[in-house]
């Protein structure tokens, strides 16, 4: 199973593609990071153009990696409505780009933290350390938005595996 | 000049196409309502599919009417963040669908009211009466979302005309 994880944002959208080499449970449990990065849009561009860039880049990723599932982080609302609405617009075009993918799941930041760290109030540094460890990466992709996308993709992948296997990810490999 | 006005929403998106027959100021000042209606998406459909429906319907309208301008209502935030974020996702795909249109403008509900009624705190009934009167319509399109889209399109059109001509719309005609 391939999962495309997206952490949407207007200025910067993180993405990551994970491949679970162990979907039938018979393999070695390895998970490969096929891709991780960010889509940036310049603040001085008109909003519709910025949304088009995000849409097209996500479409390109989907065309290239043909993921079986899309895992998108829910917009976290922390007092700033303007930001929440701006991120939601970006999230709308991400979901649109992925609308042909069979499985599309949304995860709140709380759910991602709970799935990966075991509790929803984990700090960012704890989360990042856990993602790095679970995926056996020497270092996390930069910037944080790419790592966040990796986390949401991993969250989905762990959910898809049985609860018992959730933390068992031996011998992860990394293609890039 | 043709204006496509959109009042975005996830469950119901209003749209209206206005044609200003008087863009050089030399004509009779007529404005035609070429189209007004709504795009509905069922609540039991997955979000990405609902966003795709909105996107495709707006694309179809643009292909059919080739508007010179797109006027989109800003999301009105009234305490309910969840609704605001849901509307913002719809708004994102509307802006994406319109991203090839040369002029794209956003108007807040306040700006629309101020432009059409002369003050920003006008009631809905006052707004509707004014839109009906300015466009010389026997009745407004139903439901309200279609009338709201008509209002935002008219707001843009009035803004484009000079301030002096803003309320001068003699002999409006209606094609449908």
């Amino acid at each position: 199973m391939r999962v495309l994880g997206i952490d949407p944002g207007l200025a910067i959208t993180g993405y990551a593609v994970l491949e679970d080499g162990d979907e039938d449970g018979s393999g070695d449990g390895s998970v490969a990071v096929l891709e991780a990065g960010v889509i940036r849009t310049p603040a001085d561009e008109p909003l519709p153009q910025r949304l088009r860039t995000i849409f097209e880049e996500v479409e390109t990723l989907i065309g290239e990696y043909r993921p079986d599932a899309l895992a998108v982080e829910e917009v976290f609302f922390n007092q700033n409505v303007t930001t929440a609405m701006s991120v939601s617009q970006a999230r709308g075009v991400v979901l649109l780009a992925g609308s042909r993918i069979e499985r599309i799941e949304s995860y709140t930041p709380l759910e991602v933290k709970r799935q990966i760290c075991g509790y929803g109030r984990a700090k960012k540094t704890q989360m990042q350390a856990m993602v790095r460890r679970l995926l056996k990466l020497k270092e996390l992709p930069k910037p944080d938005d790419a790592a966040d996308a990796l986390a949401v993709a991993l969250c989905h992948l762990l959910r898809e595996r049985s609860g018992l296997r959730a933390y068992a990810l031996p011998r992860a490999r990394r293609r890039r």
Side-chain angles (χ1 to χ4, degrees), chain A:
Chain A
M1 183 182 63
R2 273 191 190 180
V3 187
L4 169 61
I6 303 268
D7 180 27
L10 186 58
I12 183 160
T13 286
Y15 61 83
V17 185
L18 287 183
E19 186 164 66
D20 189 353
D22 193 39
E23 52 189 311
D24 61 356
S26 62
D28 63 0
S30 66
V31 173
V33 178
L34 304 190
E35 177 73 274
V38 295
I39 302 158
R40 289 179 198 272
T41 70
D44 58 358
E45 247 184 21
L47 174 60
Q49 189 46 54
R50 298 175 78 181
L51 294 171
R52 175 159 292 277
T53 300
I54 297 166
F55 176 74
E56 288 177 351
E57 296 269 335
V58 173
E59 271 202 325
T60 301
L61 281 168
I62 291 169
E64 192 172 344
Y65 289 100
R66 310 249 159 233
D68 307 292
L70 172 64
V72 185
E73 187 144 338
E74 289 265 10
V75 177
F76 177 59
F77 170 65
N78 60 349
Q79 316 287 297
N80 190 335
V81 184
T82 309
T83 303
M85 295 201 299
S86 142
V87 177
S88 297
Q89 292 181 112
R91 192 170 190 274
V93 304
V94 167
L95 291 173
L96 176 69
S99 60
R100 308 259 188 239
I101 298 175
E102 203 162 325
R103 280 289 304 279
I104 306 181
E105 295 292 337
S106 287
Y107 296 103
T108 64
L110 189 98
E111 287 170 319
V112 176
K113 286 176 179 175
R114 194 181 285 151
Q115 185 65 48
I116 288 173
C117 287
Y119 65 113
R121 301 207 167 271
K123 286 180 189 158
K124 198 172 194 80
T125 50
Q126 292 176 294
M127 268 284 287
Q128 293 187 338
M130 202 66 184
V131 169
R132 204 177 55 73
R133 200 175 123 198
L134 289 170
L135 292 172
K136 307 260 199 284
L137 300 175
K138 280 193 180 144
E139 52 187 31
L140 281 184
K142 289 278 173 195
D144 283 354
D145 311 77
D148 291 347
L150 210 53
V152 72
L154 182 59
C155 167
H156 178 77
L157 194 150
L158 294 174
R159 285 262 182 127
E160 286 301 288
R161 292 187 177 186
S162 75
L164 282 176
R165 296 183 52 82
Y167 296 100
L169 288 174
R171 247 183 10 105
R173 64 210 148 87
R174 192 193 186 189
R175 284 206 201 146
R176 6 178 142 180

